[in-house]
Amino acid sequence: MTSPGRSFRLHRPGSIFGRLSYVIGAVVVAAGTAMFPAAVTALIYREQEVAGWITLSAVLTILAGLFGWRVIGSPGTLTTKEGFASVGLAWFAMACFGVLPYLLTGTIDNLTDAFFETVSGFTTTGATLIPDPAAMPRGILMWRSTTQWLGGMGVIVLSLAVLPLLGTGGVQLARAESPGPEPDRLTPRFRETAKRLWYIYALLTLVEILLLWAGDMTLFQAINHSFTNMATGGFSTEATSIDGFSPYVQWVVIVFMLISGTSFALHFRALRDPGRYLKNAEFRLFTGIVAVASLVMILSLWGQAPAADVIRDAVFTSTSLVTGTGYATADFGAWIPALQLFVVGLMFLGGMAGSTTGGIKIYRMGVLVRAAAADLRRLIHPRGIFLIRFGSKRVHEPVVQSVQSFFLFFMFLFMTGTFLLGFLGAIFGPELGLVEAASATASALSNFGPALGEMGPTGNYSALTWPGKWLLSLLMIAGRLELFPVLLLFTRSLWRR
């Protein structure tokens, strides 16, 4: 006997279309459900019309998701290629439905801009088209921050925690989104691992809300900034980002940017043994890079402001850049050219594997440096055997090759995106210079947010051409999903039976 909702199927159970629809539909339902807190926020602030439109957006999204999940979807074990396809398609689907609150409320009146803002949210990039967020309805600001909070840990991981019927296919989904060589399991069952990571994520968010609220932020500001900070997203409720808040608030944000840039699996293990932080080679390299970057900025900016302000701005900016958060307390677009190049270089890095950051990731950078050093030694000792280690662990050759391939694709997309962005600006206007085009591409691909020039910390992306916005939206999704799930969508072999 078939259960209600299972009596009608457009595709036979077990088909690839059914399995993909099952996963994508479930993720869309989760995205629609996440719109209700924004509607409640609008009611609290007496924005009844906004609340009505957000509620309608939620209902439409949930119905569409239920159709894909319960009507045409069929549960089953996902293969590796289906896992990659599910991740890429799910993020596109979320972005398509995430535009509804913006469009229906009229806060963003065209599809291109709404899609850009939504993608920037779900990918935790923080690039925005909105000149003054404080002028927007509170309900929309809450939805804007919620997209980043969900995207921070990954909606795919969320689906693992709430959909037990995915079975072993859940591991394929996590592998597609995991930035390390393999998903970092805390328990034998990946679903339990996902739950524990979300508990840590939610608990840290709550702690930051309380700490920011204790400063000069209102409760609404504290919630929004905690959502976007834990996600290393960077959306703010203010046009000046974090610059207008007290030094206390800025230091709290710095601490939580570092926390968010650290592996959440490491946070969980450190609950029992805090010494695990210093024992972890990737954590030591991550914090060391932030410290060196801060020192470079302090020396470069010394004497331009009071010492306390220079130190705080340097530490804040370097932490924001390395973790890809995108918050700002200083306009680095106005710094000397050499320091601007340094800023763009930091955009590429990203935090630890297993964190909410984008970018290349510290793990990959460490492996690349050690692999390059091993290749140099081979030139001197052709018959030598050189093992590549990261910390105390050996990095096997397939992992090294995967990291090198990722870096090659990342730089290829960066160069191609820079060329296309400049080319599109020359055709459609306004024309972009090399620095602006390169920094905007690097920022989108690394999920950082602000770039240089008019798209810097004190500006926004509103002047960008409409094809340029679609290009950067695609790069944001590719960067957030570690390139391969998106690139594989355009390969013929993925769709062969």
Side-chain angles (χ1 to χ4, degrees):
M1 180 181 296
T2 57
S3 60
R6 291 286 183 181
S7 58
F8 172 70
R9 292 189 181 278
L10 300 182
H11 290 263
R12 62 182 178 82
S15 70
I16 181 174
F17 186 86
R19 291 191 296 271
L20 291 179
S21 297
Y22 187 78
V23 175
I24 295 168
V27 172
V28 170
V29 168
T33 304
M35 294 179 188
F36 286 115
V40 173
T41 301
L43 286 176
I44 292 173
Y45 287 93
R46 299 180 180 179
E47 300 167 348
Q48 285 83 1
E49 184 177 354
V50 171
W53 287 120
I54 295 177
T55 301
L56 177 60
S57 301
V59 171
L60 293 175
T61 302
I62 291 173
L63 289 176
L66 287 174
F67 180 77
W69 177 22
R70 307 298 293 181
V71 178
I72 64 176
S74 57
T77 299
L78 297 174
T79 64
T80 299
K81 70 176 184 179
E82 291 169 3
F84 278 107
S86 296
V87 170
L89 293 173
W91 281 75
F92 279 107
M94 285 191 302
C96 290
F97 286 98
V99 304
L100 291 178
Y102 295 114
L103 293 176
L104 294 182
T105 59
T107 50
I108 299 179
D109 58 4
N110 68 85
L111 178 60
T112 296
D113 288 0
F115 188 80
F116 181 95
E117 197 76 17
T118 304
V119 168
S120 183
F122 279 122
T123 60
T124 71
T125 302
T128 185
L129 301 165
I130 300 169
D132 184 12
M136 298 182 69
R138 298 296 181 93
I140 291 297
L141 286 179
M142 179 57 71
W143 169 239
R144 187 168 171 260
S145 299
T146 301
T147 59
Q148 291 206 325
W149 194 76
L150 290 176
M153 185 62 71
V155 178
I156 303 303
V157 177
L158 174 63
S159 71
L160 293 179
V162 300
L163 294 178
L165 295 180
L166 283 178
T168 57
V171 178
Q172 305 299 347
L173 289 174
R175 181 177 291 115
E177 208 201 29
S178 174
E182 286 291 329
D184 192 1
R185 292 194 183 194
L186 302 176
T187 65
R189 299 181 63 186
F190 205 94
R191 178 168 166 261
E192 292 302 315
T193 297
K195 281 185 177 181
R196 293 187 181 189
L197 294 179
W198 267 100
Y199 291 154
I200 295 293
Y201 189 59
L203 178 61
L204 288 171
T205 304
L206 178 60
V207 171
E208 186 179 7
I209 289 172
L210 296 176
L211 290 175
L212 293 179
W213 193 21
D216 59 341
M217 283 191 178
T218 65
L219 179 59
F220 178 78
Q221 290 172 329
I223 292 173
N224 279 267
H225 285 94
S226 297
F227 275 18
T228 59
N229 194 13
M230 286 306 303
T232 62
F235 275 160
S236 175
T237 60
E238 312 301 318
T240 56
S241 189
I242 307 297
D243 187 37
F245 295 103
S246 66
Y248 162 79
V249 163
Q250 293 178 15
W251 281 112
V252 170
V253 170
I254 289 171
V255 170
F256 278 88
M257 284 193 289
L258 289 171
I259 290 173
S260 302
T262 302
S263 167
F264 278 79
L266 179 60
H267 287 318
F268 185 85
R269 292 191 171 98
L271 290 175
R272 295 184 177 179
D273 180 15
R276 281 184 175 269
Y277 286 117
L278 294 180
K279 295 176 184 177
N280 188 283
E282 189 182 8
F283 179 79
R284 295 197 302 270
L285 181 58
F286 166 56
T287 52
I289 290 174
V290 172
V292 171
S294 300
L295 182 60
V296 170
M297 291 184 188
I298 289 172
L299 295 176
S300 301
L301 300 173
W302 193 259
Q304 299 182 16
D309 293 342
V310 169
I311 293 172
R312 187 176 63 254
D313 285 345
V315 175
F316 191 102
T317 303
S318 62
T319 306
S320 180
L321 284 162
V322 174
T323 61
T325 305
Y327 283 147
T329 57
D331 183 10
F332 50 73
W335 292 352
I336 60 175
L339 205 52
Q340 290 185 30
L341 289 176
F342 184 65
V343 163
V344 175
L346 292 177
M347 289 181 187
F348 287 100
L349 295 181
M352 292 179 63
S355 68
T356 61
T357 64
I360 295 174
K361 299 291 192 302
I362 299 299
Y363 176 84
R364 290 194 182 101
M365 296 302 297
V367 171
L368 284 170
V369 171
R370 285 160 176 76
D375 287 338
L376 288 176
R377 292 197 297 270
R378 287 192 189 96
L379 294 176
I380 303 173
H381 307 285
R383 297 183 180 180
I385 299 176
F386 302 97
L387 300 181
I388 300 173
R389 295 184 180 277
F390 190 86
S392 60
K393 295 182 179 180
R394 179 185 173 186
V395 183
H396 295 281
E397 190 60 28
V399 176
V400 175
Q401 292 175 356
S402 176
V403 169
Q404 290 173 336
S405 296
F406 178 90
F407 183 75
L408 177 64
F409 278 114
F410 193 95
M411 296 311 296
F412 174 78
L413 286 178
F414 166 66
M415 291 185 291
T416 304
T418 300
F419 167 76
L420 289 176
L421 198 61
F423 185 73
L424 291 171
I427 294 177
F428 295 94
E431 190 170 354
L432 296 177
L434 176 61
V435 173
E436 288 182 311
S439 63
T441 302
S443 184
L445 194 56
S446 301
N447 303 133
F448 174 66
L452 298 177
E454 293 185 6
M455 297 168 286
T458 59
N460 58 76
Y461 286 73
S462 59
L464 202 64
T465 64
W466 68 265
K469 293 172 185 175
W470 285 101
L471 172 64
L472 291 186
S473 296
L474 181 61
L475 290 176
M476 285 189 276
I477 295 176
R480 179 65 182 95
L481 298 183
E482 308 288 323
L483 306 187
F484 295 119
V486 175
L487 294 177
L488 286 173
L489 292 177
F490 301 96
T491 62
R492 186 184 304 175
S493 59
L494 179 68
W495 304 106
R496 287 176 179 171
R497 294 182 62 86

